[in-house]
Tab-separated table of all heavy atoms in Angstrom:
chain	number	residue	atom	x	y	z
A	1	ASP	N	24.989	17.939	-31.431
A	1	ASP	CA	23.746	17.895	-30.644
A	1	ASP	C	22.579	17.398	-31.482
A	1	ASP	O	21.446	17.899	-31.375
A	1	ASP	CB	23.435	19.285	-30.070
A	1	ASP	CG	22.474	19.229	-28.895
A	1	ASP	OD1	22.307	18.155	-28.301
A	1	ASP	OD2	21.855	20.287	-28.587
A	2	THR	N	22.852	16.424	-32.345
A	2	THR	CA	21.821	15.937	-33.251
A	2	THR	C	20.958	14.838	-32.641
A	2	THR	O	19.883	14.550	-33.142
A	2	THR	CB	22.478	15.391	-34.526
A	2	THR	OG1	23.459	14.409	-34.162
A	2	THR	CG2	23.150	16.521	-35.304
A	3	TYR	N	21.446	14.231	-31.553
A	3	TYR	CA	20.697	13.114	-30.968
A	3	TYR	C	21.133	12.948	-29.526
A	3	TYR	O	22.316	13.017	-29.213
A	3	TYR	CB	20.996	11.830	-31.752
A	3	TYR	CG	20.271	10.611	-31.251
A	3	TYR	CD1	18.883	10.519	-31.349
A	3	TYR	CD2	20.958	9.543	-30.689
A	3	TYR	CE1	18.216	9.394	-30.897
A	3	TYR	CE2	20.302	8.424	-30.230
A	3	TYR	CZ	18.930	8.348	-30.337
A	3	TYR	OH	18.271	7.235	-29.884
A	4	VAL	N	20.175	12.732	-28.665
A	4	VAL	CA	20.461	12.505	-27.252
A	4	VAL	C	19.830	11.191	-26.827
A	4	VAL	O	18.651	10.937	-27.108
A	4	VAL	CB	19.918	13.659	-26.375
A	4	VAL	CG1	20.105	13.333	-24.897
A	4	VAL	CG2	20.621	14.966	-26.718
A	5	GLN	N	20.634	10.389	-26.176
A	5	GLN	CA	20.151	9.096	-25.698
A	5	GLN	C	20.313	9.052	-24.189
A	5	GLN	O	21.395	9.237	-23.657
A	5	GLN	CB	20.964	7.959	-26.341
A	5	GLN	CG	20.736	6.584	-25.742
A	5	GLN	CD	19.374	6.012	-26.075
A	5	GLN	OE1	18.584	6.627	-26.767
A	5	GLN	NE2	19.074	4.846	-25.571
A	6	VAL	N	19.217	8.827	-23.480
A	6	VAL	CA	19.248	8.633	-22.028
A	6	VAL	C	18.863	7.185	-21.756
A	6	VAL	O	17.910	6.676	-22.353
A	6	VAL	CB	18.268	9.593	-21.318
A	6	VAL	CG1	18.251	9.340	-19.819
A	6	VAL	CG2	18.646	11.049	-21.600
A	7	ARG	N	19.589	6.525	-20.908
A	7	ARG	CA	19.279	5.141	-20.560
A	7	ARG	C	17.815	5.027	-20.166
A	7	ARG	O	17.271	5.865	-19.429
A	7	ARG	CB	20.178	4.647	-19.431
A	7	ARG	CG	21.654	4.622	-19.758
A	7	ARG	CD	22.027	3.580	-20.796
A	7	ARG	NE	21.656	2.229	-20.394
A	7	ARG	CZ	22.350	1.475	-19.545
A	7	ARG	NH1	23.468	1.945	-19.004
A	7	ARG	NH2	21.941	0.267	-19.260
A	8	SER	N	17.204	3.974	-20.638
A	8	SER	CA	15.754	3.854	-20.492
A	8	SER	C	15.313	3.888	-19.030
A	8	SER	O	14.272	4.462	-18.704
A	8	SER	CB	15.266	2.574	-21.171
A	8	SER	OG	15.896	1.439	-20.594
A	9	PHE	N	16.112	3.304	-18.143
A	9	PHE	CA	15.694	3.237	-16.743
A	9	PHE	C	15.865	4.581	-16.021
A	9	PHE	O	15.458	4.731	-14.877
A	9	PHE	CB	16.448	2.128	-15.998
A	9	PHE	CG	17.932	2.342	-15.883
A	9	PHE	CD1	18.479	2.954	-14.773
A	9	PHE	CD2	18.777	1.917	-16.893
A	9	PHE	CE1	19.844	3.134	-14.669
A	9	PHE	CE2	20.148	2.092	-16.796
A	9	PHE	CZ	20.671	2.705	-15.686
A	10	LEU	N	16.473	5.558	-16.712
A	10	LEU	CA	16.659	6.888	-16.125
A	10	LEU	C	15.773	7.941	-16.783
A	10	LEU	O	15.717	9.088	-16.310
A	10	LEU	CB	18.126	7.315	-16.247
A	10	LEU	CG	19.122	6.455	-15.487
A	10	LEU	CD1	20.546	6.897	-15.815
A	10	LEU	CD2	18.873	6.519	-13.990
A	11	ARG	N	15.117	7.580	-17.860
A	11	ARG	CA	14.272	8.567	-18.545
A	11	ARG	C	13.150	9.032	-17.642
A	11	ARG	O	12.587	8.284	-16.875
A	11	ARG	CB	13.712	7.965	-19.829
A	11	ARG	CG	14.751	7.804	-20.907
A	11	ARG	CD	14.183	7.081	-22.111
A	11	ARG	NE	15.262	6.568	-22.948
A	11	ARG	CZ	15.114	5.597	-23.818
A	11	ARG	NH1	13.937	5.049	-24.006
A	11	ARG	NH2	16.148	5.193	-24.533
A	12	GLY	N	12.853	10.289	-17.770
A	12	GLY	CA	11.853	10.887	-16.901
A	12	GLY	C	12.463	11.510	-15.657
A	12	GLY	O	11.834	12.348	-15.012
A	13	ARG	N	13.694	11.112	-15.330
A	13	ARG	CA	14.386	11.706	-14.185
A	13	ARG	C	15.672	12.413	-14.596
A	13	ARG	O	16.066	13.406	-13.976
A	13	ARG	CB	14.727	10.642	-13.133
A	13	ARG	CG	13.526	9.942	-12.530
A	13	ARG	CD	13.896	9.217	-11.246
A	13	ARG	NE	14.903	8.185	-11.463
A	13	ARG	CZ	16.078	8.166	-10.842
A	13	ARG	NH1	16.424	9.129	-10.009
A	13	ARG	NH2	16.925	7.167	-11.061
A	14	PHE	N	16.341	11.932	-15.638
A	14	PHE	CA	17.615	12.496	-16.088
A	14	PHE	C	17.434	13.108	-17.468
A	14	PHE	O	16.807	12.506	-18.343
A	14	PHE	CB	18.698	11.418	-16.157
A	14	PHE	CG	19.255	11.009	-14.812
A	14	PHE	CD1	18.439	10.545	-13.812
A	14	PHE	CD2	20.618	11.087	-14.579
A	14	PHE	CE1	18.955	10.160	-12.585
A	14	PHE	CE2	21.150	10.702	-13.360
A	14	PHE	CZ	20.316	10.237	-12.354
A	15	THR	N	17.986	14.287	-17.664
A	15	THR	CA	18.005	14.923	-18.980
A	15	THR	C	19.407	15.449	-19.269
A	15	THR	O	20.160	15.797	-18.342
A	15	THR	CB	16.995	16.075	-19.074
A	15	THR	OG1	17.299	17.058	-18.073
A	15	THR	CG2	15.572	15.587	-18.893
A	16	LEU	N	19.723	15.503	-20.564
A	16	LEU	CA	21.040	15.939	-21.013
A	16	LEU	C	20.864	17.070	-22.001
A	16	LEU	O	20.039	16.984	-22.915
A	16	LEU	CB	21.761	14.761	-21.668
A	16	LEU	CG	23.206	14.966	-22.105
A	16	LEU	CD1	24.086	15.234	-20.899
A	16	LEU	CD2	23.703	13.741	-22.850
A	17	SER	N	21.649	18.118	-21.822
A	17	SER	CA	21.547	19.251	-22.742
A	17	SER	C	22.920	19.892	-22.903
A	17	SER	O	23.843	19.621	-22.142
A	17	SER	CB	20.544	20.280	-22.223
A	17	SER	OG	20.956	20.793	-20.962
A	18	ARG	N	23.011	20.753	-23.917
A	18	ARG	CA	24.265	21.461	-24.176
A	18	ARG	C	24.047	22.966	-24.068
A	18	ARG	O	22.994	23.469	-24.432
A	18	ARG	CB	24.778	21.153	-25.586
A	18	ARG	CG	25.252	19.735	-25.792
A	18	ARG	CD	25.763	19.575	-27.209
A	18	ARG	NE	26.167	18.211	-27.524
A	18	ARG	CZ	27.422	17.846	-27.761
A	18	ARG	NH1	28.395	18.743	-27.707
A	18	ARG	NH2	27.709	16.582	-28.039
A	19	ASP	N	25.083	23.627	-23.590
A	19	ASP	CA	25.139	25.089	-23.633
A	19	ASP	C	26.325	25.423	-24.529
A	19	ASP	O	27.478	25.408	-24.091
A	19	ASP	CB	25.328	25.662	-22.231
A	19	ASP	CG	25.263	27.182	-22.200
A	19	ASP	OD1	25.617	27.820	-23.227
A	19	ASP	OD2	24.879	27.738	-21.164
A	20	THR	N	26.035	25.686	-25.789
A	20	THR	CA	27.118	25.881	-26.753
A	20	THR	C	27.893	27.164	-26.498
A	20	THR	O	29.081	27.246	-26.823
A	20	THR	CB	26.569	25.879	-28.181
A	20	THR	OG1	25.559	26.886	-28.291
A	20	THR	CG2	25.952	24.532	-28.522
A	21	VAL	N	27.255	28.144	-25.904
A	21	VAL	CA	27.949	29.405	-25.599
A	21	VAL	C	29.008	29.164	-24.527
A	21	VAL	O	30.138	29.652	-24.616
A	21	VAL	CB	26.953	30.483	-25.154
A	21	VAL	CG1	27.686	31.736	-24.694
A	21	VAL	CG2	25.982	30.797	-26.275
A	22	LYS	N	28.650	28.379	-23.512
A	22	LYS	CA	29.576	28.106	-22.419
A	22	LYS	C	30.460	26.888	-22.673
A	22	LYS	O	31.316	26.567	-21.838
A	22	LYS	CB	28.791	27.913	-21.121
A	22	LYS	CG	28.050	29.163	-20.666
A	22	LYS	CD	27.342	28.928	-19.335
A	22	LYS	CE	26.650	30.197	-18.853
A	22	LYS	NZ	25.933	29.979	-17.567
A	23	ASN	N	30.236	26.209	-23.808
A	23	ASN	CA	31.023	25.007	-24.119
A	23	ASN	C	30.885	23.967	-23.015
A	23	ASN	O	31.865	23.398	-22.513
A	23	ASN	CB	32.507	25.370	-24.339
A	23	ASN	CG	33.201	24.455	-25.326
A	23	ASN	OD1	32.561	23.882	-26.217
A	23	ASN	ND2	34.499	24.302	-25.173
A	24	THR	N	29.637	23.709	-22.661
A	24	THR	CA	29.315	22.874	-21.503
A	24	THR	C	28.211	21.897	-21.860
A	24	THR	O	27.322	22.211	-22.661
A	24	THR	CB	28.853	23.769	-20.343
A	24	THR	OG1	29.946	24.593	-19.916
A	24	THR	CG2	28.364	22.951	-19.165
A	25	VAL	N	28.272	20.725	-21.239
A	25	VAL	CA	27.166	19.770	-21.328
A	25	VAL	C	26.621	19.577	-19.915
A	25	VAL	O	27.392	19.429	-18.967
A	25	VAL	CB	27.628	18.429	-21.923
A	25	VAL	CG1	26.515	17.400	-21.827
A	25	VAL	CG2	28.035	18.616	-23.382
A	26	ILE	N	25.315	19.589	-19.808
A	26	ILE	CA	24.656	19.579	-18.506
A	26	ILE	C	23.812	18.322	-18.349
A	26	ILE	O	23.044	17.965	-19.233
A	26	ILE	CB	23.772	20.826	-18.355
A	26	ILE	CG1	24.642	22.084	-18.418
A	26	ILE	CG2	23.003	20.773	-17.040
A	26	ILE	CD1	23.869	23.332	-18.730
A	27	LEU	N	23.975	17.681	-17.213
A	27	LEU	CA	23.136	16.545	-16.842
A	27	LEU	C	22.277	16.970	-15.658
A	27	LEU	O	22.803	17.307	-14.601
A	27	LEU	CB	23.993	15.342	-16.461
A	27	LEU	CG	23.233	14.081	-16.068
A	27	LEU	CD1	22.551	13.460	-17.294
A	27	LEU	CD2	24.161	13.060	-15.422
A	28	GLU	N	20.992	16.988	-15.857
A	28	GLU	CA	20.072	17.341	-14.783
A	28	GLU	C	19.372	16.089	-14.296
A	28	GLU	O	18.871	15.297	-15.110
A	28	GLU	CB	19.068	18.383	-15.250
A	28	GLU	CG	19.730	19.716	-15.607
A	28	GLU	CD	18.745	20.843	-15.801
A	28	GLU	OE1	18.389	21.517	-14.809
A	28	GLU	OE2	18.329	21.059	-16.950
A	29	ALA	N	19.342	15.928	-13.003
A	29	ALA	CA	18.754	14.743	-12.397
A	29	ALA	C	17.744	15.175	-11.346
A	29	ALA	O	18.048	16.011	-10.489
A	29	ALA	CB	19.839	13.886	-11.759
A	30	THR	N	16.558	14.613	-11.434
A	30	THR	CA	15.500	14.931	-10.478
A	30	THR	C	15.026	13.658	-9.794
A	30	THR	O	15.328	12.545	-10.219
A	30	THR	CB	14.324	15.609	-11.194
A	30	THR	OG1	13.779	14.701	-12.159
A	30	THR	CG2	14.762	16.880	-11.893
A	31	ASN	N	14.246	13.840	-8.733
A	31	ASN	CA	13.713	12.706	-7.971
A	31	ASN	C	14.808	11.669	-7.693
A	31	ASN	O	14.633	10.476	-7.938
A	31	ASN	CB	12.540	12.065	-8.728
A	31	ASN	CG	11.785	11.059	-7.891
A	31	ASN	OD1	11.821	11.110	-6.665
A	31	ASN	ND2	11.102	10.147	-8.555
A	32	LEU	N	15.915	12.154	-7.200
A	32	LEU	CA	17.071	11.295	-6.996
A	32	LEU	C	16.809	10.257	-5.916
A	32	LEU	O	16.077	10.503	-4.950
A	32	LEU	CB	18.295	12.138	-6.638
A	32	LEU	CG	18.886	12.889	-7.826
A	32	LEU	CD1	19.740	14.056	-7.379
A	32	LEU	CD2	19.679	11.927	-8.699
A	33	LYS	N	17.422	9.083	-6.109
A	33	LYS	CA	17.232	7.949	-5.218
A	33	LYS	C	18.585	7.518	-4.663
A	33	LYS	O	19.630	7.774	-5.273
A	33	LYS	CB	16.599	6.794	-5.998
A	33	LYS	CG	15.305	7.174	-6.691
A	33	LYS	CD	14.786	6.041	-7.554
A	33	LYS	CE	13.508	6.447	-8.280
A	33	LYS	NZ	12.972	5.346	-9.104
A	34	PRO	N	18.601	6.830	-3.546
A	34	PRO	CA	19.892	6.368	-2.990
A	34	PRO	C	20.712	5.563	-3.985
A	34	PRO	O	21.954	5.644	-3.973
A	34	PRO	CB	19.451	5.530	-1.789
A	34	PRO	CG	18.172	6.157	-1.343
A	34	PRO	CD	17.483	6.571	-2.614
A	35	GLU	N	20.054	4.824	-4.859
A	35	GLU	CA	20.795	4.020	-5.841
A	35	GLU	C	21.439	4.868	-6.926
A	35	GLU	O	22.196	4.344	-7.757
A	35	GLU	CB	19.890	2.954	-6.475
A	35	GLU	CG	18.606	3.481	-7.060
A	35	GLU	CD	17.424	3.339	-6.102
A	35	GLU	OE1	17.611	3.583	-4.882
A	35	GLU	OE2	16.320	3.015	-6.591
A	36	ASP	N	21.169	6.156	-6.950
A	36	ASP	CA	21.858	7.059	-7.870
A	36	ASP	C	23.208	7.516	-7.311
A	36	ASP	O	23.960	8.207	-8.012
A	36	ASP	CB	21.000	8.302	-8.159
A	36	ASP	CG	19.727	7.971	-8.915
A	36	ASP	OD1	19.790	7.155	-9.860
A	36	ASP	OD2	18.669	8.539	-8.571
A	37	THR	N	23.503	7.142	-6.085
A	37	THR	CA	24.784	7.504	-5.480
A	37	THR	C	25.932	6.896	-6.288
A	37	THR	O	25.964	5.689	-6.525
A	37	THR	CB	24.852	7.011	-4.032
A	37	THR	OG1	23.880	7.722	-3.256
A	37	THR	CG2	26.237	7.224	-3.444
A	38	ALA	N	26.848	7.749	-6.728
A	38	ALA	CA	27.964	7.297	-7.575
A	38	ALA	C	28.865	8.492	-7.861
A	38	ALA	O	28.503	9.642	-7.601
A	38	ALA	CB	27.440	6.725	-8.887
A	39	THR	N	30.018	8.190	-8.424
A	39	THR	CA	30.827	9.236	-9.026
A	39	THR	C	30.422	9.348	-10.485
A	39	THR	O	30.375	8.340	-11.192
A	39	THR	CB	32.323	8.933	-8.908
A	39	THR	OG1	32.679	8.851	-7.528
A	39	THR	CG2	33.152	10.014	-9.577
A	40	TYR	N	30.112	10.560	-10.895
A	40	TYR	CA	29.642	10.810	-12.254
A	40	TYR	C	30.779	11.423	-13.079
A	40	TYR	O	31.425	12.382	-12.647
A	40	TYR	CB	28.443	11.751	-12.228
A	40	TYR	CG	27.169	11.067	-11.768
A	40	TYR	CD1	27.011	10.670	-10.442
A	40	TYR	CD2	26.142	10.800	-12.672
A	40	TYR	CE1	25.856	10.020	-10.022
A	40	TYR	CE2	24.983	10.160	-12.261
A	40	TYR	CZ	24.852	9.769	-10.936
A	40	TYR	OH	23.707	9.124	-10.533
A	41	TYR	N	30.976	10.847	-14.250
A	41	TYR	CA	32.041	11.280	-15.144
A	41	TYR	C	31.460	11.723	-16.480
A	41	TYR	O	30.513	11.113	-16.975
A	41	TYR	CB	33.002	10.124	-15.433
A	41	TYR	CG	33.671	9.515	-14.229
A	41	TYR	CD1	33.067	8.482	-13.526
A	41	TYR	CD2	34.918	9.965	-13.810
A	41	TYR	CE1	33.677	7.912	-12.429
A	41	TYR	CE2	35.544	9.400	-12.703
A	41	TYR	CZ	34.911	8.375	-12.027
A	41	TYR	OH	35.531	7.807	-10.929
A	42	CYS	N	32.058	12.756	-17.064
A	42	CYS	CA	31.734	13.056	-18.445
A	42	CYS	C	32.935	12.708	-19.314
A	42	CYS	O	34.089	12.695	-18.846
A	42	CYS	CB	31.309	14.513	-18.640
A	42	CYS	SG	32.605	15.738	-18.450
A	43	ALA	N	32.644	12.403	-20.564
A	43	ALA	CA	33.680	12.012	-21.504
A	43	ALA	C	33.249	12.459	-22.899
A	43	ALA	O	32.055	12.653	-23.156
A	43	ALA	CB	33.895	10.506	-21.469
A	44	ALA	N	34.225	12.608	-23.789
A	44	ALA	CA	33.926	13.102	-25.128
A	44	ALA	C	34.718	12.343	-26.171
A	44	ALA	O	35.887	11.980	-25.953
A	44	ALA	CB	34.245	14.601	-25.212
A	45	GLY	N	34.085	12.116	-27.299
A	45	GLY	CA	34.716	11.488	-28.448
A	45	GLY	C	34.501	12.348	-29.670
A	45	GLY	O	33.348	12.717	-29.956
A	46	ARG	N	35.548	12.643	-30.398
A	46	ARG	CA	35.425	13.557	-31.543
A	46	ARG	C	34.551	12.955	-32.646
A	46	ARG	O	34.716	11.790	-33.033
A	46	ARG	CB	36.798	13.899	-32.104
A	46	ARG	CG	36.741	15.022	-33.151
A	46	ARG	CD	38.072	15.651	-33.417
A	46	ARG	NE	37.989	16.693	-34.416
A	46	ARG	CZ	37.674	17.961	-34.148
A	46	ARG	NH1	37.434	18.312	-32.890
A	46	ARG	NH2	37.612	18.856	-35.113
A	47	GLU	N	33.593	13.734	-33.086
A	47	GLU	CA	32.664	13.373	-34.153
A	47	GLU	C	31.954	12.052	-33.868
A	47	GLU	O	31.711	11.255	-34.775
A	47	GLU	CB	33.396	13.320	-35.505
A	47	GLU	CG	33.951	14.681	-35.905
A	47	GLU	CD	34.607	14.676	-37.277
A	47	GLU	OE1	34.752	13.590	-37.877
A	47	GLU	OE2	34.978	15.757	-37.751
A	48	TYR	N	31.621	11.863	-32.612
A	48	TYR	CA	30.980	10.623	-32.196
A	48	TYR	C	29.464	10.773	-32.218
A	48	TYR	O	28.912	11.717	-31.665
A	48	TYR	CB	31.436	10.235	-30.794
A	48	TYR	CG	30.875	8.911	-30.320
A	48	TYR	CD1	31.165	7.735	-30.995
A	48	TYR	CD2	30.059	8.839	-29.195
A	48	TYR	CE1	30.648	6.524	-30.565
A	48	TYR	CE2	29.546	7.634	-28.753
A	48	TYR	CZ	29.843	6.480	-29.451
A	48	TYR	OH	29.332	5.285	-29.028
């Protein structure tokens, strides 16, 4: 959790955080728009 990068066109609406106790990563999205309609996937890479 040393660095978080959010795509520039989503900044201000999307945030990413971790809950280390629950072993979870959370994506919060606000002011959602129709163009945000999609299937959202999470993925992980070791020591990435």
Side-chain angles (χ1 to χ4, degrees):
D1 200 18
T2 54
Y3 181 66
V4 174
Q5 169 71 1
V6 177
R7 298 292 302 281
S8 59
F9 64 94
L10 296 174
R11 288 174 198 159
R13 298 196 299 122
F14 284 56
T15 59
L16 185 64
S17 61
R18 291 181 184 247
D19 185 331
T20 56
V21 174
K22 296 183 178 179
N23 211 27
T24 294
V25 172
I26 298 161
L27 181 70
E28 295 192 88
T30 62
N31 191 23
L32 285 160
K33 305 175 182 181
E35 53 263 41
D36 294 317
T37 294
T39 299
Y40 285 70
Y41 301 88
C42 70
R46 189 163 179 86
E47 297 183 353
Y48 183 62

